[in-house]
Amino acid sequence: GAWPYHDHSPSMMTSITNGLYGALSILGRHEKAPDKEFVVFFEGQVKLNTIDGLAFIGNTPTFRAKVGDLVQWDVLALGDDFHSFHVHGHRWDTADGSRDVQVVSPAASFRIRWKEDKVGTWLYHCHVESHMMNGMIGLYQVTK
């Protein structure tokens, strides 16, 4: 799975605001490593909703893959808000069936995977509309 790490000292909030956090990705014993792995941290900073500490297209990470790649998204939440992760034009399988939105609660994480089969430029974002409109949106580009 995807596991967050961050500072737990008395200066924890200052450290997190300054980017002292990250993610560990652990593969299962017989699990293939992805061709592309994307880390998405949803959090609030300086009155903005951010992805990896950045807000709005042009600042947030633009993730890139090619058709045929096994892609993995590690989605994590810092702070007190619930978020809903969504990638336009894509669905993924879960134990409960196929979906295109998945909720991540405060201090939680999940990982999703799929074999890429669609060329295009897609939005990825938090599907809580006020979060998206306040910066929590980025681009995902797939080429042949």
Side-chain angles (χ1 to χ4, degrees), residues 37-75:
E37 184 172 10
F38 312 123
V39 177
V40 174
F41 268 99
F42 286 144
E43 65 177 312
Q45 286 197 21
V46 195
K47 297 183 182 180
L48 294 172
N49 293 104
T50 66
I51 297 173
D52 297 348
L54 304 167
F56 300 106
I57 292 174
N59 296 308
T60 53
T62 298
F63 296 118
R64 293 176 173 82
K66 293 184 177 181
V67 169
D69 283 348
L70 175 62
V71 298
Q72 176 174 308
W73 296 77
D74 303 328
V75 181

Side-chain angles (χ1 to χ4, degrees), residues 58-126:
N59 296 308
T60 53
T62 298
F63 296 118
R64 293 176 173 82
K66 293 184 177 181
V67 169
D69 283 348
L70 175 62
V71 298
Q72 176 174 308
W73 296 77
D74 303 328
V75 181
L76 307 99
L78 294 174
D80 301 328
D81 290 335
F82 284 80
H83 302 285
S84 53
F85 178 73
H86 175 69
V87 180
H88 283 219
H90 292 78
R91 294 187 72 80
W92 54 88
D93 294 325
T94 68
D96 300 328
S98 177
R99 66 177 55 200
D100 66 354
V101 175
Q102 187 159 336
V103 173
V104 60
S105 58
S109 62
F110 63 82
R111 151 185 110 150
I112 56 173
R113 297 174 138 211
W114 64 73
K115 188 92 162 182
E116 189 53 70
D117 64 354
K118 296 177 181 73
V119 171
T121 298
W122 311 93
L123 296 174
Y124 71 92
H125 58 89
C126 177

Side-chain angles (χ1 to χ4, degrees), residues 114-141:
W114 64 73
K115 188 92 162 182
E116 189 53 70
D117 64 354
K118 296 177 181 73
V119 171
T121 298
W122 311 93
L123 296 174
Y124 71 92
H125 58 89
C126 177
H127 225 293
V128 175
E129 189 170 329
S130 62
H131 294 180
M132 179 183 64
M133 297 305 290
N134 198 35
M136 208 170 261
I137 186 168
L139 293 176
Y140 172 49
Q141 297 178 330

